[in-house]
Every structure is written in C-alpha cells, then in structure tokens.
Amino acid sequence: ETGVTQTPRHLVMGMTNKKSLKCEQHLGHNAMYWYKQSAKKPLELMFVYNFKEQTENNSVPSRFSPECPNSSHLFLHLHTLQPEDSALYLCASSQAGDLGELFFGEGSRLTVL
Amino acid sequence: RKEVEQDPGPFNVPEGATVAFNCTYSNSASQSFFWYRQDCRKEPKLLMSVYSSGNEDGRFTAQLNRASQYISLLIRDSKLSDSATYLCVVNNPDTGRRALTFGSGTRLQVQP
C-alpha cells in the first residue's frame, strides 16, 4: 500500500483536450514533486513544491500547469499536449529539505493521441 | 556527459548468483547517493542509501568511490524476487536543485 495516491491511473486524451492529474499524500510530508518517466529514459524532474510554494520548475513547457493547494494535494493540469508527452507521470512526496527518501505514487499513465 | 549514468543491462543471472552494478555521476559536489528499486509497471522505492564508508543491508552492499565518482550495488545470493530495475540516484547541488537526479536504471533478471 502506498501513502501517495494518484488518479487517474490511466488517461487517454486528444491534443486539444484539457485534463488534470491528481496526487494526494497521507504521510504528513511537506514537499511534493512531479516526475515524468518515458520509455528507456531516466525519471525527469518537472516541478517541486515545498510548503505549497513552487521551488523548482525544471524548464517544463507551459502546457503543463501544476497546482498545490495544500501540502497534501498536488495537481498537474494538462492542455494542448503533444504525442511525445505520452509517459508515466509520477508524483512523490518527502519531508521538505530531506533528500533521503522519496515516496512515490503508482503513477498516471498518459497517452496523447 | 549524463549526470547519472548506468548500464541498462539486462543482467541475466541464475538464482544464487552474485551480481554487481555500477553507476557513475558527473558532479563531484554531490553528497547524497541512493539505490532505488523499480518493479515492472510499479513506482520506484528506496532500496538503500549509500554512505561514504560503504554499507550493507542483508544481501545488499552499497559502496561509494568519491575519487572515481561512482557508486556500486552488490547483490549476493540472488533471488527470483530481486528481478527489477535498479535506479542510481544522486543529488546535484550545483544546479540549486533540491530534488534528486535519477539514472535510467539497470535491469536485473534472476532466472530459476
């Protein structure tokens, strides 16, 4: 059982659609992350939030828009995506400032048609 | 040069074998090192941290060589359940990042 829950687990969308990925953590952490995992590539850090404030945007295109309303919830809003954005999107959490252990959700597998 | 580089494998080994993976990192200022494990279609999970003096956790031994900028993971007496992708993970302080950088992973397949 994971303390980080992601929904939906699978998403298929067209390039003109708008959708959102949701992440919720039940671990009392105050840092949350979005990572992208494409086939045969390393996990790519997208965004970091510490205490609800975005502390890192790793040059992510504006068609990906994160939102962190509180320390337990993180969203990734998607619009006008490209087929190359198809990937597994992983949410993670940790204690802020602690680079020890990241706790990942099971991921949202996105396919852009 | 990639920040974190790993041999993708796959490493195919029989049960009971000893297998070792290496990983190189590019930033000499990195201070935190980890091995994560990712099962097929699952999320990554922390396997163990890597300490300067080397550390052991049961059948798993991790070592750090700062001079050569590599870390290693040794698995003794391999089990079928060890089959997974092993991710080398390093912090990268120079970029100001407060998150970790992952390697592409080394796939291990333990065969009966």
Side-chain angles (χ1 to χ4, degrees), chain A:
Chain A
E1 283 253 341
T2 177
V4 180
T5 305
Q6 289 187 242
T7 55
R9 294 291 310 282
H10 300 272
L11 178 62
V12 179
M13 60 187 288
M15 290 192 284
T16 57
N17 292 159
K18 286 186 180 181
K19 298 285 184 184
S20 296
L21 306 181
K22 179 183 176 182
C23 176
E24 183 174 0
Q25 59 95 1
H26 312 276
L27 300 169
H29 291 158
N30 39 41
M32 296 188 76
Y33 312 78
W34 279 116
Y35 279 89
K36 175 184 177 182
Q37 188 172 37
S38 304
K40 301 192 185 301
K41 287 187 174 181
L43 271 74
E44 300 171 52
L45 178 66
M46 299 176 74
F47 302 103
V48 181
Y49 279 83
N50 282 281
F51 298 96
K52 303 188 302 176
E53 299 298 319
Q54 187 181 123
T55 55
E56 186 156 346
N57 175 338
N58 196 24
S59 303
V60 180
S62 59
R63 57 186 184 269
F64 295 91
S65 174
E67 178 190 359
C68 188
N70 55 60
S71 293
S72 299
H73 292 85
L74 185 64
F75 294 89
L76 188 63
H77 303 301
L78 316 170
H79 61 99
T80 60
L81 294 192
Q82 305 298 311
E84 60 264 29
D85 296 323
S86 299
L88 181 68
Y89 289 84
L90 288 159
C91 173
S93 71
S94 73
Q95 291 296 352
D98 178 4
L99 290 179
E101 185 168 4
L102 291 175
F103 292 80
F104 285 89
E106 293 181 292
S108 295
R109 186 161 296 281
L110 172 67
T111 302
V112 181
L113 301 176

Side-chain angles (χ1 to χ4, degrees), chain B residues 22-70:
Chain B
N22 284 337
C23 160
T24 57
Y25 59 94
S26 62
N27 192 330
S28 59
S30 294
Q31 297 176 331
S32 302
F33 309 91
F34 311 91
W35 284 102
Y36 275 67
R37 169 191 170 135
Q38 186 171 22
D39 292 302
C40 187
R41 298 195 168 274
K42 294 284 193 178
E43 73 277 18
K45 292 183 180 178
L46 178 67
L47 177 66
M48 59 196 301
S49 302
V50 185
Y51 302 121
S52 297
S53 54
N55 49 297
E56 191 174 304
D57 183 0
R59 298 181 293 108
F60 298 83
T61 301
Q63 291 194 312
L64 168 63
N65 184 319
R66 284 191 186 275
S68 301
Q69 292 180 214
Y70 79 80

